[in-house]
Amino acid sequence: MSGLYIHIPFCVRKCSYCAFYSLPMPWKNVPEFFQGLGKELNNLPPDFFPETIFIGGGTPSAPDIQTLETFSPMLKRFKPVEFSVEANPGTVDAAKLALLKWSGVNRLSIGVQSFDFQCLETLGRIHSAEQAEAAFRLARAVGFENISLDLIFGVPGQTMEMLESDIDRALALSPEHIAIYNLMYEEGAPLTKRNLPRLDEEMERDMYDRIRSRLQAAGFLHYEISNFAKPGFECRHNLLYWSGGEYIGVGPAAHSHWNGVRWANVSDVNDYCSSGPRREFEEMLESDAKERETLVMGLRQLAGVEVSSRLWKPLEESFRSLEKEGLLVITGRHVRLSEKALFVSDAVFAELV
Ligand code: SF4
């Protein structure tokens, strides 16, 4: 199985916590970017037939409808099983959503982040909670039957009651999927520089536990550290990443892993347009490194992974010591994170790479 990721690097405004490569308005080079993207798509390997497509960014729903109309035919030759697009509630309308549906998009990921006014302000989002709810209802009205909501918890000033209210409002919409991430303080991001009082770790852990119990009680399957789905609605594109599958990323700053080679496109729109596109990083992974990476990605899934006999030997000591600490559950050579480890998974992964 393989996947195609497309990076649209335009946003209306930068959110305060964002570390993704994206350009706030006013934008330059939009037509040149889409021309470059068309070329890169045309030059994909002839034996590349992605089963999933994921358009992210940036804000794929930010460009105007005329621009999106010129982009849509570039993807017509693909026949993915799952075709996801990220949408920002501040940039969608009925016409754009209808165009996405007509273009074959069958999964929408709406970046809500929070329904709380104060949290939205702190995160620097461009939309209100009401706009997020309206975007969701519009997407349903247009015919989307697979919608994910992206949320963030652990925002400075957020209380457990505010989180409960976010969960209530998310569940009231009846999405098929919810991704909820603990806020990261990225180096250089405006939110990090503001030095607001952060929530303590115990509070964040309590919040994570509350999220898990509320969403599971509502019929969601907790299938990855930060991802919850109604049965059958797990994100196939992300499952591909978590199971060591191959993918090609197009657009500036997009990452690829194809035929054993990993690379990243240049993180600059102008450079991307003129160099068409230049790789700013490329490496061939040794099989041992690749296996360890796949193991760690696989452990993100709550179902865990079966470890090969080749990898078991050098890692057995680490596995056993993590098991003793109550962080791994081991059955034969099948390994999974324990409930206790879910909130501190990065520390567990650091022991295994
Ligand atoms: S909309 Fe997404 S990509 Fe754009 S600035 Fe906000 S977080 Fe970053």
Side-chain angles (χ1 to χ4, degrees):
M1 183 161 144
S2 60
L4 171 64
Y5 172 75
I6 301 173
H7 191 82
I8 308 293
F10 304 112
C11 287
V12 173
R13 192 178 75 199
K14 284 300 279 187
C15 301
S16 66
Y17 58 97
C18 182
F20 299 112
Y21 175 65
S22 72
L23 304 162
M25 289 175 100
W27 309 316
K28 291 179 192 153
N29 294 347
V30 175
E32 292 81 358
F33 162 74
F34 279 100
Q35 273 165 24
L37 194 64
K39 268 193 219 154
E40 196 180 7
L41 286 165
N42 278 337
N43 289 333
L44 287 172
D47 59 340
F48 178 60
F49 302 107
E51 277 139 310
T52 62
I53 298 182
F54 193 104
I55 308 184
T59 306
S61 55
D64 60 35
I65 183 113
Q66 290 79 11
T67 304
L68 294 177
E69 273 168 352
T70 62
F71 171 50
S72 161
M74 296 178 195
L75 302 169
K76 275 287 174 199
R77 72 187 167 98
F78 299 112
K79 302 282 174 250
V81 179
E82 179 188 274
F83 187 167
S84 301
V85 172
E86 286 179 343
N88 182 310
T91 62
V92 290
D93 56 29
K96 282 186 189 176
L97 289 170
L99 174 66
L100 293 176
K101 189 86 185 48
W102 176 83
S103 306
V105 175
N106 57 18
R107 183 175 183 274
L108 213 58
S109 175
I110 302 180
V112 174
Q113 315 314 349
S114 176
F115 292 96
D116 180 86
F117 173 77
Q118 190 186 318
C119 290
L120 288 170
E121 281 279 305
T122 304
L123 296 171
R125 300 292 293 177
I126 60 166
H127 56 84
S128 64
E130 290 70 28
Q131 275 176 296
E133 287 166 336
F136 185 95
R137 293 196 180 104
L138 206 51
R140 277 282 195 249
V142 163
F144 283 100
E145 293 172 349
N146 186 358
I147 306 179
S148 177
L149 299 180
D150 272 1
L151 295 169
I152 289 178
F153 75 96
V155 179
Q158 190 180 29
T159 62
M160 190 62 92
E161 289 67 36
M162 287 155 81
L163 173 70
E164 291 271 14
S165 168
D166 271 359
I167 297 171
D168 288 341
R169 287 177 81 168
L171 291 178
L173 293 170
S174 293
E176 283 67 37
H177 188 280
I178 294 178
I180 181 158
Y181 291 91
N182 197 348
L183 177 68
M184 300 284 291
Y185 291 88
E186 303 287 352
E187 206 185 320
L191 182 64
T192 311
K193 289 186 194 152
R194 276 177 69 191
N195 254 331
L196 294 173
R198 300 181 184 186
L199 301 195
D200 64 42
E201 200 180 309
E202 203 177 321
M203 175 67 166
E204 290 188 341
R205 184 191 289 267
D206 287 348
M207 286 180 157
Y208 184 65
D209 290 344
R210 188 72 58 91
I211 290 162
R212 292 190 68 216
S213 61
R214 288 283 321 268
L215 296 187
Q216 285 172 327
F220 284 83
L221 176 73
H222 187 192
Y223 71 105
E224 191 268 350
I225 294 167
S226 307
N227 283 267
F228 300 80
K230 287 283 170 76
F233 288 94
E234 296 88 348
C235 177
R236 286 169 181 250
H237 188 81
N238 286 338
L239 283 172
L240 176 89
Y241 293 150
W242 300 323
S243 56
E246 297 219 308
Y247 53 90
I248 294 184
V250 298
H255 287 241
S256 301
H257 182 198
W258 179 251
N259 279 345
V261 182
R262 209 158 48 169
W263 72 88
N265 284 352
V266 64
S267 307
D268 179 283
V269 169
N270 296 334
D271 194 333
Y272 173 82
C273 293
S274 59
S275 67
R278 188 168 65 79
R279 293 180 183 182
E280 67 179 10
F281 157 85
E282 180 174 316
E283 70 174 355
M284 178 93 78
L285 274 185
E286 299 286 330
S287 65
D288 185 56
K290 162 79 182 141
E291 251 191 285
R292 281 177 188 244
E293 191 183 273
T294 304
L295 166 75
V296 164
M297 291 303 281
L299 280 175
R300 297 191 65 86
Q301 300 177 68
L302 271 74
V305 287
E306 191 70 22
V307 181
S308 70
S309 50
R310 210 176 77 87
L311 200 58
W312 183 265
K313 253 192 170 170
L315 286 178
E316 183 166 9
E317 210 177 305
S318 306
F319 285 147
R320 292 298 173 204
S321 126
L322 289 163
E323 184 185 33
K324 254 192 213 147
E325 289 176 59
L327 297 170
L328 286 183
V329 178
I330 303 177
T331 316
R333 282 207 318 267
H334 184 274
V335 179
R336 67 174 171 84
L337 292 182
S338 68
E339 298 224 340
K340 177 180 160 189
L342 291 172
F343 188 71
V344 290
S345 55
D346 285 346
V348 176
F349 300 153
E351 297 290 320
L352 301 172
V353 287

